[in-house]
Amino acid sequence: MKTRALSIVVACIFVLMCCIASAEPFAVGPYLGQTPPGPIAQVFAPGLITDTRTQMWESHGTFSLDGNTFCYLRCPIRRSPGVGGVFIIENTDQGWTEPELVESVEEYSVWAPCLSPDANSIYFARGFPESKRDLYRCGRTAEGWAQPQVLAPPLNSPSPEISCSIAANNSIYFGSIRKGGPLGGVSIIWAAPFVDNTWARVSYISMHDQQEGRPADPGIAPDESFMVFTAINLPGGYGHRDIYLTLRLPDGTWSKPRNLGPRVNSTYIEQSPRISPDKKYLFFTRSDGWDPRKHSADIYWVELKEYLPESYR
């Protein structure tokens, strides 16, 4: 009887191991195995990352510089433990892992998470638009993700900081409603060069004096050669907030912003644009409102080839 029982246990273990070995990974291939989009924006990874049903919010999709880590925000309106917050997925030899919740980042106050180029830090703003916002950093450790730490000045100021993105050299571009810029207390885009392992100074980005529209949500190219951002109610716009493109010119200045047009923008709100590590794709969020507690949002992506001069691709 003991021999038979042992045989049954061994057989069960063998079957279990076979099931584990044959289990399908979450996704396989670059960009989660998704078919690349063309010049018309498409929902990114529907059913895997983006839940296109109403009352579901996915936003701020960011890939690491090597393309093997993806970070995004999920905020379902009908909240339940472990469903909402900042999520990370990793590309391994067996494929992409299931999304993992970053438990140290409090779900209901985080905004605009952005993954660092080396995938070892998550930067985000804490607080909702009606309150004071600061930029925070959450670092990866051997035990998991550490508790977030507020960033020191000059990245933070007495004014609200809105969102940020990070170039390959760790320079940070961010939106802020702070004094010292050309429009006083109106949102504009700032840059913080990463020099000697720190951000010692910030300066506002002047795009040929085109600061109308409260520009925010910068998405910087990995090599800082161009930038996308959002602006509100500019002439020729398509909705409440559209995505615009500006190029860094040979003299270091930025070109006059250009609306990316109706294949990217819509009558909804386009926000949180991010550039892929290979500069081939633009990731952004399309939402029907601003508040994840009340509205819905989906992550989109679009090929940038037709929107960029050849020398910038």
Side-chain angles (χ1 to χ4, degrees):
M1 292 294 293
K2 289 184 178 180
T3 301
R4 183 181 178 186
L6 179 60
S7 299
I8 294 174
V9 171
V10 171
C12 291
I13 293 174
F14 177 76
V15 171
L16 179 61
M17 292 179 66
C18 289
C19 290
I20 293 174
S22 62
E24 291 292 328
F26 180 72
V28 176
Y31 295 108
L32 281 75
Q34 300 299 293
T35 301
I40 301 176
Q42 305 290 332
V43 174
F44 177 66
L48 290 177
I49 299 299
T50 303
D51 187 334
T52 57
R53 294 174 297 178
T54 58
Q55 298 190 337
M56 289 295 293
W57 180 289
E58 289 90 19
S59 66
H60 300 89
T62 312
F63 278 93
S64 59
L65 190 60
D66 64 6
N68 287 326
T69 307
F70 183 70
C71 172
Y72 67 103
L73 178 67
R74 171 174 287 163
C75 297
I77 293 177
R78 295 179 180 177
R79 300 170 180 173
S80 59
V83 175
V86 177
F87 287 83
I88 290 283
I89 62 175
E90 311 273 1
N91 193 14
T92 70
D93 292 339
Q94 289 74 42
W96 290 86
T97 61
E98 293 277 348
E100 178 184 357
L101 177 67
V102 180
E103 295 183 356
S104 61
V105 178
E106 184 181 354
E107 174 187 354
Y108 303 126
S109 64
V110 62
W111 179 250
C114 181
L115 191 65
S116 66
D118 63 5
N120 287 326
S121 298
I122 301 170
Y123 294 81
F124 62 91
R126 173 169 281 174
F128 287 102
E130 64 268 19
S131 63
K132 172 69 173 73
R133 276 183 177 171
D134 283 325
L135 295 176
Y136 286 74
R137 173 186 175 272
C138 177
R140 193 197 297 258
T141 71
E143 291 75 34
W145 292 93
Q147 290 296 316
Q149 302 294 320
V150 65
L151 297 178
L155 288 173
N156 281 313
S157 71
S159 301
E161 324 303 338
I162 300 171
S163 63
C164 71
S165 67
I166 307 171
N169 63 7
N170 287 312
S171 294
I172 293 181
Y173 290 69
F174 64 102
S176 178
I177 307 173
R178 62 173 68 187
K179 297 179 179 179
L183 300 181
V186 175
S187 172
I188 57 174
I189 296 171
W190 301 75
F194 190 68
V195 180
D196 296 330
N197 205 40
T198 190
W199 300 277
R201 62 180 180 85
V202 299
S203 59
Y204 69 86
I205 300 293
S206 176
M207 293 168 282
H208 284 230
D209 297 324
Q210 300 296 311
Q211 299 292 349
E212 300 88 352
R214 301 177 63 184
D217 276 346
I220 190 65
D223 60 1
E224 300 177 279
S225 60
F226 64 92
M227 180 173 62
V228 287
F229 65 95
T230 64
I232 186 170
N233 292 333
L234 287 179
Y238 296 87
H240 180 69
R241 183 170 281 272
D242 287 349
I243 298 177
Y244 291 77
L245 169 73
T246 179
L247 308 174
R248 188 190 290 272
L249 302 176
D251 63 358
T253 62
W254 295 86
S255 68
K256 181 178 179 179
R258 177 169 62 89
N259 190 299
L260 288 184
R263 294 183 294 181
V264 173
N265 294 307
S266 71
T267 57
Y268 293 97
I269 297 171
E270 275 70 44
Q271 56 173 299
S272 64
R274 303 281 167 74
I275 305 300
S276 67
D278 54 14
K279 300 198 302 182
K280 290 183 178 180
Y281 308 108
L282 162 67
F283 289 82
F284 66 94
T285 302
R286 180 173 291 165
S287 64
D288 58 7
W290 291 107
D291 194 339
R293 299 167 295 184
K294 303 175 183 178
H295 300 112
S296 304
D298 296 323
I299 299 174
Y300 281 72
W301 64 328
V302 64
E303 187 179 49
L304 278 172
K305 182 178 180 180
E306 292 192 18
Y307 299 94
L308 287 171
E310 186 173 355
S311 61
Y312 284 84
R313 298 172 190 167

Short mmCIF file of all heavy atoms in Angstrom, two decimals, residues 12-67:
data_model
loop_
_atom_site.label_atom_id
_atom_site.label_comp_id
_atom_site.label_asym_id
_atom_site.label_seq_id
_atom_site.Cartn_x
_atom_site.Cartn_y
_atom_site.Cartn_z
N CYS A 12 1.60 12.40 -9.45
CA CYS A 12 0.98 13.72 -9.33
C CYS A 12 2.01 14.84 -9.47
O CYS A 12 1.76 15.85 -10.12
CB CYS A 12 0.25 13.83 -8.00
SG CYS A 12 -1.23 12.79 -7.88
N ILE A 13 3.15 14.66 -8.84
CA ILE A 13 4.22 15.66 -8.94
C ILE A 13 4.69 15.80 -10.37
O ILE A 13 4.92 16.90 -10.88
CB ILE A 13 5.39 15.29 -8.01
CG1 ILE A 13 4.95 15.39 -6.54
CG2 ILE A 13 6.59 16.19 -8.28
CD1 ILE A 13 6.00 14.91 -5.56
N PHE A 14 4.81 14.64 -11.07
CA PHE A 14 5.26 14.67 -12.47
C PHE A 14 4.27 15.43 -13.34
O PHE A 14 4.65 16.25 -14.18
CB PHE A 14 5.43 13.23 -12.98
CG PHE A 14 5.82 13.15 -14.42
CD1 PHE A 14 7.12 13.42 -14.83
CD2 PHE A 14 4.88 12.82 -15.40
CE1 PHE A 14 7.48 13.35 -16.16
CE2 PHE A 14 5.23 12.75 -16.73
CZ PHE A 14 6.54 13.03 -17.12
N VAL A 15 2.97 15.14 -13.14
CA VAL A 15 1.94 15.83 -13.93
C VAL A 15 1.96 17.33 -13.65
O VAL A 15 1.86 18.15 -14.57
CB VAL A 15 0.55 15.24 -13.62
CG1 VAL A 15 -0.55 16.10 -14.26
CG2 VAL A 15 0.46 13.81 -14.13
N LEU A 16 2.12 17.70 -12.38
CA LEU A 16 2.16 19.11 -12.02
C LEU A 16 3.34 19.81 -12.67
O LEU A 16 3.22 20.91 -13.20
CB LEU A 16 2.23 19.26 -10.50
CG LEU A 16 2.31 20.69 -9.95
CD1 LEU A 16 1.07 21.48 -10.36
CD2 LEU A 16 2.45 20.68 -8.44
N MET A 17 4.51 19.16 -12.65
CA MET A 17 5.70 19.74 -13.26
C MET A 17 5.53 19.88 -14.77
O MET A 17 5.96 20.88 -15.36
CB MET A 17 6.92 18.89 -12.93
CG MET A 17 7.33 18.92 -11.47
SD MET A 17 8.76 17.88 -11.11
CE MET A 17 10.03 18.73 -12.03
N CYS A 18 4.88 18.91 -15.39
CA CYS A 18 4.63 19.00 -16.83
C CYS A 18 3.71 20.17 -17.15
O CYS A 18 3.91 20.89 -18.13
CB CYS A 18 4.04 17.70 -17.35
SG CYS A 18 5.21 16.32 -17.39
N CYS A 19 2.69 20.35 -16.31
CA CYS A 19 1.77 21.47 -16.52
C CYS A 19 2.47 22.81 -16.39
O CYS A 19 2.25 23.73 -17.17
CB CYS A 19 0.61 21.39 -15.53
SG CYS A 19 -0.52 20.02 -15.84
N ILE A 20 3.34 22.90 -15.37
CA ILE A 20 4.09 24.14 -15.18
C ILE A 20 5.03 24.40 -16.35
O ILE A 20 5.14 25.51 -16.86
CB ILE A 20 4.89 24.08 -13.85
CG1 ILE A 20 3.92 24.06 -12.67
CG2 ILE A 20 5.84 25.27 -13.75
CD1 ILE A 20 4.60 23.85 -11.33
N ALA A 21 5.70 23.32 -16.79
CA ALA A 21 6.66 23.46 -17.88
C ALA A 21 5.98 23.85 -19.18
O ALA A 21 6.55 24.55 -20.02
CB ALA A 21 7.44 22.15 -18.06
N SER A 22 4.74 23.35 -19.38
CA SER A 22 4.03 23.63 -20.63
C SER A 22 3.14 24.86 -20.56
O SER A 22 2.48 25.19 -21.53
CB SER A 22 3.18 22.41 -21.02
OG SER A 22 2.19 22.16 -20.03
N ALA A 23 3.09 25.53 -19.39
CA ALA A 23 2.23 26.70 -19.23
C ALA A 23 2.66 27.81 -20.17
O ALA A 23 3.85 28.06 -20.34
CB ALA A 23 2.26 27.18 -17.78
N GLU A 24 1.69 28.45 -20.77
CA GLU A 24 1.99 29.53 -21.68
C GLU A 24 2.44 30.76 -20.91
O GLU A 24 1.86 31.10 -19.87
CB GLU A 24 0.75 29.87 -22.50
CG GLU A 24 0.35 28.80 -23.50
CD GLU A 24 1.35 28.65 -24.63
OE1 GLU A 24 1.98 29.66 -25.00
OE2 GLU A 24 1.52 27.53 -25.11
N PRO A 25 3.48 31.47 -21.39
CA PRO A 25 3.87 32.71 -20.73
C PRO A 25 2.82 33.78 -20.97
O PRO A 25 1.94 33.64 -21.83
CB PRO A 25 5.20 33.06 -21.42
CG PRO A 25 5.12 32.39 -22.75
CD PRO A 25 4.34 31.13 -22.53
N PHE A 26 2.91 34.87 -20.23
CA PHE A 26 1.96 35.96 -20.36
C PHE A 26 1.98 36.53 -21.78
O PHE A 26 0.93 36.82 -22.36
CB PHE A 26 2.30 37.05 -19.34
CG PHE A 26 1.38 38.23 -19.37
CD1 PHE A 26 0.09 38.13 -18.90
CD2 PHE A 26 1.81 39.46 -19.86
CE1 PHE A 26 -0.77 39.22 -18.93
CE2 PHE A 26 0.97 40.55 -19.89
CZ PHE A 26 -0.33 40.43 -19.43
N ALA A 27 3.16 36.68 -22.36
CA ALA A 27 3.33 37.16 -23.73
C ALA A 27 4.76 36.83 -24.16
O ALA A 27 5.64 36.63 -23.32
CB ALA A 27 3.06 38.65 -23.83
N VAL A 28 5.00 36.79 -25.46
CA VAL A 28 6.32 36.44 -25.99
C VAL A 28 6.68 37.42 -27.10
O VAL A 28 5.86 37.70 -27.98
CB VAL A 28 6.36 35.00 -26.53
CG1 VAL A 28 7.71 34.69 -27.16
CG2 VAL A 28 6.05 33.99 -25.43
N GLY A 29 7.91 37.93 -27.08
CA GLY A 29 8.40 38.75 -28.16
C GLY A 29 8.52 40.22 -27.80
O GLY A 29 8.02 40.67 -26.77
N PRO A 30 9.21 41.00 -28.64
CA PRO A 30 9.34 42.43 -28.41
C PRO A 30 7.97 43.11 -28.31
O PRO A 30 7.02 42.72 -28.99
CB PRO A 30 10.11 42.92 -29.64
CG PRO A 30 10.81 41.71 -30.17
CD PRO A 30 9.91 40.56 -29.87
N TYR A 31 7.89 44.10 -27.44
CA TYR A 31 6.64 44.83 -27.23
C TYR A 31 5.47 43.87 -26.95
O TYR A 31 4.39 44.00 -27.48
CB TYR A 31 6.35 45.75 -28.42
CG TYR A 31 7.37 46.85 -28.54
CD1 TYR A 31 8.32 46.85 -29.57
CD2 TYR A 31 7.42 47.88 -27.62
CE1 TYR A 31 9.29 47.84 -29.67
CE2 TYR A 31 8.37 48.89 -27.70
CZ TYR A 31 9.31 48.85 -28.73
OH TYR A 31 10.26 49.84 -28.82
N LEU A 32 5.76 42.89 -26.09
CA LEU A 32 4.77 41.90 -25.65
C LEU A 32 4.18 41.10 -26.81
O LEU A 32 3.04 40.63 -26.76
CB LEU A 32 3.65 42.56 -24.85
CG LEU A 32 3.97 42.89 -23.38
CD1 LEU A 32 4.87 44.11 -23.29
CD2 LEU A 32 2.70 43.13 -22.59
N GLY A 33 4.96 40.97 -27.88
CA GLY A 33 4.52 40.18 -29.01
C GLY A 33 3.41 40.81 -29.83
O GLY A 33 2.78 40.13 -30.65
N GLN A 34 3.17 42.10 -29.66
CA GLN A 34 2.09 42.77 -30.36
C GLN A 34 2.48 43.10 -31.81
O GLN A 34 3.63 43.41 -32.10
CB GLN A 34 1.70 44.05 -29.63
CG GLN A 34 1.23 43.83 -28.21
CD GLN A 34 0.00 42.94 -28.14
OE1 GLN A 34 -1.08 43.32 -28.60
NE2 GLN A 34 0.14 41.75 -27.58
N THR A 35 1.51 43.03 -32.70
CA THR A 35 1.73 43.45 -34.08
C THR A 35 1.94 44.95 -34.12
O THR A 35 1.09 45.71 -33.64
CB THR A 35 0.52 43.08 -34.96
OG1 THR A 35 0.31 41.65 -34.90
CG2 THR A 35 0.75 43.50 -36.39
N PRO A 36 3.07 45.43 -34.65
CA PRO A 36 3.35 46.87 -34.62
C PRO A 36 2.27 47.66 -35.35
O PRO A 36 1.73 47.22 -36.36
CB PRO A 36 4.70 46.97 -35.34
CG PRO A 36 5.32 45.63 -35.19
CD PRO A 36 4.18 44.65 -35.22
N PRO A 37 1.94 48.84 -34.84
CA PRO A 37 0.94 49.68 -35.50
C PRO A 37 1.55 50.42 -36.67
O PRO A 37 2.77 50.51 -36.83
CB PRO A 37 0.54 50.65 -34.39
CG PRO A 37 1.82 50.83 -33.62
CD PRO A 37 2.50 49.49 -33.65
N GLY A 38 0.71 51.01 -37.48
CA GLY A 38 1.15 51.90 -38.53
C GLY A 38 1.02 53.34 -38.06
O GLY A 38 1.11 53.63 -36.86
N PRO A 39 0.75 54.27 -38.99
CA PRO A 39 0.67 55.69 -38.62
C PRO A 39 -0.64 56.08 -37.96
O PRO A 39 -0.81 57.25 -37.59
CB PRO A 39 0.82 56.40 -39.98
CG PRO A 39 0.29 55.41 -40.97
CD PRO A 39 0.67 54.06 -40.45
N ILE A 40 -1.58 55.14 -37.82
CA ILE A 40 -2.84 55.40 -37.12
C ILE A 40 -2.79 54.73 -35.76
O ILE A 40 -2.48 53.54 -35.66
CB ILE A 40 -4.05 54.88 -37.93
CG1 ILE A 40 -4.09 55.55 -39.30
CG2 ILE A 40 -5.35 55.14 -37.16
CD1 ILE A 40 -5.20 55.03 -40.20
N ALA A 41 -3.06 55.48 -34.71
CA ALA A 41 -2.93 54.97 -33.34
C ALA A 41 -3.84 53.77 -33.11
O ALA A 41 -5.00 53.75 -33.54
CB ALA A 41 -3.24 56.07 -32.34
N GLN A 42 -3.30 52.76 -32.40
CA GLN A 42 -4.02 51.55 -32.06
C GLN A 42 -3.91 51.29 -30.56
O GLN A 42 -2.92 51.67 -29.94
CB GLN A 42 -3.45 50.35 -32.83
CG GLN A 42 -3.40 50.52 -34.33
CD GLN A 42 -4.78 50.49 -34.96
OE1 GLN A 42 -5.71 49.87 -34.44
NE2 GLN A 42 -4.93 51.18 -36.09
N VAL A 43 -4.91 50.62 -30.00
CA VAL A 43 -4.84 50.22 -28.59
C VAL A 43 -3.66 49.27 -28.40
O VAL A 43 -3.45 48.36 -29.22
CB VAL A 43 -6.15 49.55 -28.15
CG1 VAL A 43 -6.01 49.01 -26.73
CG2 VAL A 43 -7.30 50.54 -28.23
N PHE A 44 -2.88 49.48 -27.35
CA PHE A 44 -1.72 48.63 -27.08
C PHE A 44 -2.12 47.43 -26.23
O PHE A 44 -2.71 47.58 -25.17
CB PHE A 44 -0.63 49.42 -26.36
CG PHE A 44 0.57 48.58 -26.00
CD1 PHE A 44 1.37 48.03 -26.97
CD2 PHE A 44 0.88 48.32 -24.66
CE1 PHE A 44 2.46 47.25 -26.65
CE2 PHE A 44 1.96 47.55 -24.32
CZ PHE A 44 2.76 47.00 -25.31
N ALA A 45 -1.77 46.25 -26.71
CA ALA A 45 -1.94 44.99 -25.98
C ALA A 45 -3.34 44.85 -25.38
O ALA A 45 -3.48 44.64 -24.17
CB ALA A 45 -0.87 44.86 -24.90
N PRO A 46 -4.40 44.93 -26.21
CA PRO A 46 -5.76 44.77 -25.67
C PRO A 46 -5.93 43.38 -25.06
O PRO A 46 -5.54 42.37 -25.64
CB PRO A 46 -6.65 44.97 -26.90
CG PRO A 46 -5.77 44.67 -28.07
CD PRO A 46 -4.40 45.10 -27.67
N GLY A 47 -6.53 43.33 -23.90
CA GLY A 47 -6.74 42.08 -23.21
C GLY A 47 -5.56 41.62 -22.37
O GLY A 47 -5.72 40.79 -21.47
N LEU A 48 -4.37 42.13 -22.67
CA LEU A 48 -3.18 41.84 -21.86
C LEU A 48 -2.89 42.97 -20.90
O LEU A 48 -2.82 42.78 -19.69
CB LEU A 48 -1.97 41.58 -22.77
CG LEU A 48 -1.96 40.30 -23.59
CD1 LEU A 48 -0.72 40.27 -24.47
CD2 LEU A 48 -1.99 39.07 -22.69
N ILE A 49 -2.69 44.17 -21.45
CA ILE A 49 -2.41 45.36 -20.65
C ILE A 49 -3.64 46.26 -20.58
O ILE A 49 -4.08 46.67 -19.51
CB ILE A 49 -1.22 46.14 -21.22
CG1 ILE A 49 0.04 45.27 -21.20
CG2 ILE A 49 -0.99 47.42 -20.42
CD1 ILE A 49 0.47 44.82 -19.82
N THR A 50 -4.20 46.55 -21.74
CA THR A 50 -5.29 47.51 -21.82
C THR A 50 -6.64 46.81 -21.79
O THR A 50 -6.92 45.94 -22.62
CB THR A 50 -5.18 48.36 -23.10
OG1 THR A 50 -3.90 49.01 -23.11
CG2 THR A 50 -6.27 49.42 -23.15
N ASP A 51 -7.46 47.18 -20.82
CA ASP A 51 -8.83 46.70 -20.71
C ASP A 51 -9.74 47.79 -21.27
O ASP A 51 -9.89 48.85 -20.66
CB ASP A 51 -9.17 46.42 -19.24
CG ASP A 51 -10.52 45.75 -19.05
OD1 ASP A 51 -11.39 45.94 -19.93
OD2 ASP A 51 -10.71 45.06 -18.04
N THR A 52 -10.28 47.55 -22.46
CA THR A 52 -11.01 48.60 -23.16
C THR A 52 -12.44 48.78 -22.66
O THR A 52 -13.17 49.62 -23.19
CB THR A 52 -11.05 48.31 -24.67
OG1 THR A 52 -11.64 47.01 -24.88
CG2 THR A 52 -9.64 48.33 -25.26
N ARG A 53 -12.85 48.03 -21.65
CA ARG A 53 -14.17 48.25 -21.09
C ARG A 53 -14.24 49.61 -20.38
O ARG A 53 -13.21 50.14 -19.95
CB ARG A 53 -14.53 47.14 -20.11
CG ARG A 53 -14.68 45.76 -20.75
CD ARG A 53 -14.89 44.70 -19.69
NE ARG A 53 -13.74 44.59 -18.80
CZ ARG A 53 -13.69 43.75 -17.76
NH1 ARG A 53 -14.73 42.99 -17.47
NH2 ARG A 53 -12.60 43.70 -17.00
N THR A 54 -15.43 50.15 -20.24
CA THR A 54 -15.59 51.40 -19.50
C THR A 54 -15.27 51.15 -18.03
O THR A 54 -15.28 50.02 -17.54
CB THR A 54 -17.00 51.95 -19.64
OG1 THR A 54 -17.94 50.96 -19.15
CG2 THR A 54 -17.32 52.27 -21.09
N GLN A 55 -14.97 52.23 -17.34
CA GLN A 55 -14.66 52.21 -15.91
C GLN A 55 -13.38 51.42 -15.61
O GLN A 55 -13.22 50.88 -14.51
CB GLN A 55 -15.84 51.66 -15.09
CG GLN A 55 -17.09 52.51 -15.20
CD GLN A 55 -18.16 52.10 -14.22
OE1 GLN A 55 -18.20 50.97 -13.74
NE2 GLN A 55 -19.05 53.03 -13.90
N MET A 56 -12.47 51.37 -16.59
CA MET A 56 -11.13 50.82 -16.36
C MET A 56 -10.12 51.84 -16.87
O MET A 56 -10.30 52.42 -17.94
CB MET A 56 -10.94 49.49 -17.07
CG MET A 56 -11.72 48.34 -16.45
SD MET A 56 -11.17 47.93 -14.77
CE MET A 56 -9.53 47.29 -15.08
N TRP A 57 -9.07 52.06 -16.10
CA TRP A 57 -8.08 53.08 -16.43
C TRP A 57 -6.70 52.44 -16.50
O TRP A 57 -6.19 51.93 -15.50
CB TRP A 57 -8.10 54.17 -15.36
CG TRP A 57 -7.13 55.29 -15.57
CD1 TRP A 57 -5.77 55.24 -15.43
CD2 TRP A 57 -7.44 56.64 -15.94
NE1 TRP A 57 -5.21 56.46 -15.71
CE2 TRP A 57 -6.22 57.34 -16.02
CE3 TRP A 57 -8.63 57.31 -16.20
CZ2 TRP A 57 -6.15 58.69 -16.35
CZ3 TRP A 57 -8.56 58.65 -16.53
CH2 TRP A 57 -7.34 59.33 -16.61
N GLU A 58 -6.10 52.43 -17.70
CA GLU A 58 -4.68 52.08 -17.87
C GLU A 58 -4.00 53.25 -18.56
O GLU A 58 -4.52 53.80 -19.54
CB GLU A 58 -4.51 50.81 -18.72
CG GLU A 58 -4.93 49.52 -18.03
CD GLU A 58 -6.39 49.19 -18.26
OE1 GLU A 58 -6.98 49.72 -19.22
OE2 GLU A 58 -6.95 48.40 -17.46
N SER A 59 -2.84 53.64 -18.04
CA SER A 59 -2.18 54.83 -18.57
C SER A 59 -0.69 54.78 -18.32
O SER A 59 -0.18 53.90 -17.62
CB SER A 59 -2.77 56.10 -17.94
OG SER A 59 -2.49 56.15 -16.54
N HIS A 60 0.04 55.75 -18.93
CA HIS A 60 1.45 56.00 -18.66
C HIS A 60 2.32 54.77 -18.89
O HIS A 60 3.14 54.40 -18.05
CB HIS A 60 1.63 56.53 -17.23
CG HIS A 60 0.90 57.81 -16.97
ND1 HIS A 60 -0.41 57.83 -16.50
CD2 HIS A 60 1.27 59.10 -17.12
CE1 HIS A 60 -0.80 59.08 -16.37
NE2 HIS A 60 0.19 59.87 -16.74
N GLY A 61 2.13 54.11 -20.03
CA GLY A 61 2.96 52.96 -20.37
C GLY A 61 4.37 53.39 -20.73
O GLY A 61 4.58 54.27 -21.56
N THR A 62 5.37 52.76 -20.09
CA THR A 62 6.78 53.11 -20.31
C THR A 62 7.62 51.85 -20.40
O THR A 62 7.51 50.97 -19.54
CB THR A 62 7.33 53.96 -19.16
OG1 THR A 62 6.43 55.02 -18.87
CG2 THR A 62 8.69 54.54 -19.53
N PHE A 63 8.47 51.76 -21.41
CA PHE A 63 9.45 50.68 -21.52
C PHE A 63 10.81 51.15 -21.04
O PHE A 63 11.18 52.33 -21.17
CB PHE A 63 9.58 50.22 -22.97
CG PHE A 63 8.51 49.25 -23.41
CD1 PHE A 63 7.36 49.71 -24.02
CD2 PHE A 63 8.66 47.89 -23.21
CE1 PHE A 63 6.37 48.83 -24.42
CE2 PHE A 63 7.69 47.00 -23.61
CZ PHE A 63 6.54 47.47 -24.21
N SER A 64 11.59 50.22 -20.50
CA SER A 64 12.98 50.49 -20.15
C SER A 64 13.80 50.64 -21.43
O SER A 64 13.34 50.32 -22.53
CB SER A 64 13.55 49.36 -19.29
OG SER A 64 13.47 48.12 -19.99
N LEU A 65 15.04 51.09 -21.29
CA LEU A 65 15.88 51.36 -22.45
C LEU A 65 16.16 50.10 -23.26
O LEU A 65 16.29 50.15 -24.48
CB LEU A 65 17.19 52.02 -22.01
CG LEU A 65 18.08 52.60 -23.12
CD1 LEU A 65 17.33 53.67 -23.91
CD2 LEU A 65 19.36 53.16 -22.54
N ASP A 66 16.28 48.95 -22.59
CA ASP A 66 16.52 47.70 -23.33
C ASP A 66 15.23 47.04 -23.81
O ASP A 66 15.26 45.99 -24.46
CB ASP A 66 17.34 46.71 -22.49
CG ASP A 66 16.61 46.25 -21.23
OD1 ASP A 66 15.43 46.58 -21.04
OD2 ASP A 66 17.25 45.55 -20.41
N GLY A 67 14.08 47.64 -23.51
CA GLY A 67 12.81 47.12 -23.97
C GLY A 67 12.31 45.89 -23.24
O GLY A 67 11.30 45.30 -23.64
#
